[in-house]
């Protein structure tokens, strides 16, 4: 189970010692877990291939902000005990009219201290530069 964030936000998490449940920046969508004071997580422990495809089409967690350096913060065993799973939260989210990523979104109540993380994986994503020939020709070769 993991939390994914941007490279700059990871630096803030590392420096502050916690993933904050209510960070100062506003959320661009009406997120269920954030609205109840939880950290949003991706839970792939029991997800089927079909459910994974559905989840990715709703929330591209592999690089959600199209950041050059997304960071995946992997929870340790102690943190897993407090997690609210999708199946536990689904009905409440629907009743409140809040958004929740189908099948994979989970929440950690309150701030998640960095000592509760087992591992951090920062990914360097290399993107090719825009093709000048496509830009100049309007997409025609």
């Amino acid at each position: 189970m993991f939390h994914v964030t941007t490279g700059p936000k990871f630096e803030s998490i590392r420096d502050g010692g916690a993933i904050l449940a209510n960070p100062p920046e506003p959320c661009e969508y009406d997120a269920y877990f954030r609205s109840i004071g939880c950290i949003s997580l991706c839970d792939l422990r029991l997800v089927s291939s079909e459910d994974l495809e559905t989840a990715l089409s709703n929330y591209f967690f592999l690089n959600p902000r199209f950041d050059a350096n997304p960071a995946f913060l992997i929870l340790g065993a102690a943190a897993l005990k407090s997690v609210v799973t999708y199946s536990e939260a689904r009905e409440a989210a629907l009743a409140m009219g809040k958004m929740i990523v189908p099948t994979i979104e989970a929440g950690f109540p309150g701030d998640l201290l960095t000592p509760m993380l087992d591992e951090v994986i920062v990914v360097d994503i290399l993107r090719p530069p825009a093709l000048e020939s496509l830009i100049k020709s309007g997409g025609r070769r």
Side-chain angles (χ1 to χ4, degrees), residues 34-115:
R34 187 171 182 152
S35 74
I36 63 166
C38 288
I39 306 295
S40 181
L41 305 170
C42 293
D43 182 1
L44 304 180
R45 295 175 297 172
L46 301 173
V47 68
S48 69
S49 295
E50 182 179 307
D51 286 344
L52 181 60
E53 286 183 38
T54 300
L56 279 168
S57 70
N58 284 277
Y59 174 61
F60 191 68
F61 60 82
L62 298 174
N63 192 7
R65 304 270 188 261
F66 298 100
D67 183 51
N69 302 99
F72 296 83
L73 290 65
I74 315 299
L75 273 65
L80 294 176
K81 297 174 186 173
S82 300
V83 168
V84 178
T85 65
Y86 171 80
S87 61
E88 294 168 329
R90 182 180 180 277
E91 293 302 320
L94 292 173
M96 293 173 65
K98 302 285 184 179
M99 295 180 74
I100 187 168
V101 180
T103 69
I104 67 151
E105 190 172 5
F108 182 87
D111 297 342
L112 180 58
L113 303 178
T114 54

Side-chain angles (χ1 to χ4, degrees), residues 11-23:
E11 290 176 18
S12 176
I13 290 166
R14 184 188 58 216
D15 294 345
I19 306 169
L20 302 178
N22 291 307

